[in-house]
Amino acid sequence: RSNDASTDDSLELCRQLIDGYTGSTRFVVLCHDRNRGLSAARNTGTDAATSTHIYYLDSDDEMTPDCLEKMAAAIGNDDSIEMVMGGLRRDWSEMRGMKARFKQWAYIKWGDWQSKHLKRKKRELKGNDEVYGWYYQEGKKRSNFVWNRLLKLSFVKENNLYNKEGLLLEDRLWNYYLIRCLQHVIILPDVTYIYYRRPASIIVGTSAEKKRNHRGIIFREMADHVVLGERVEETKNRMKGFLQNYMRADGNEDYEYSFDVFLNQMVF
């Protein structure tokens, strides 16, 4: 567990749970001397990990009891598998009582979101072209999260798949790089993660303008990696979200820069 200089009693609670644990799992608590944010906590854990695989879990969410067991079973002895991804269930019940634009979220029956897209069938993707096609070309909404994946640790480090510190919505940029280098993936239809949407979360509690500015940073970094005429589907996939923010960005330099690059890519 990576503790990002928390100010509540979460660290003490963790230590009490560890002290009362009698199983064979070994726990290591890593502490920052100051709060550096979610990305830094993930990166610290990644650098300190000595296992063959790594799994990221946000502190306000929950994994199912059999999550790691199912993911590890999917890997078996195949060392070429770089990622196993499970299904998720969204729980937004705590959003009840929020103002109108949030109320609708609390009552949407998301259910087993990933499972519905996969029609409850295990899927294997081999080669980056197949991974790329699944993510960008099949017309489905894909997860842009860092959590709920069992990742081969050497793959993460060799491809420098660290989270950019100081950035909101960092998951989107991380996934952008991830999809570009994945070669062998297993996707499970089983729900392995419960995602809680809370009124006090970072994303809900951050202003729309600040989130838009951070999206601009992400779009600009993506634009810096565009090669005209290549991966056009990737740009098309990002354009809807980009344009929605661009129209409200009021001359933000990151959006202006990205717009020129994306436009050239679309008309190439």
Side-chain angles (χ1 to χ4, degrees), residues 211-221 252 254-255 258:
K211 284 186 284 191
R212 187 158 43 247
N213 288 339
H214 281 249
R215 285 190 181 98
I217 296 170
I218 293 170
F219 284 126
R220 183 173 188 131
E221 187 157 334
N252 181 296
D254 290 324
Y255 282 95
S258 304

Side-chain angles (χ1 to χ4, degrees), residues 62-67 70-71 86-90 111-116 120 148 188-195:
E62 180 181 355
M63 66 166 65
T64 62
D66 59 357
C67 169
K70 286 183 174 179
M71 289 186 169
L88 66 90
R89 183 168 68 249
R90 302 183 187 222
D112 302 344
W113 174 77
Q114 189 70 39
S115 298
K116 288 181 179 179
R120 301 189 181 278
N148 201 28
L188 301 177
D190 309 86
V191 172
T192 54
Y193 197 93
I194 304 171
Y195 170 54

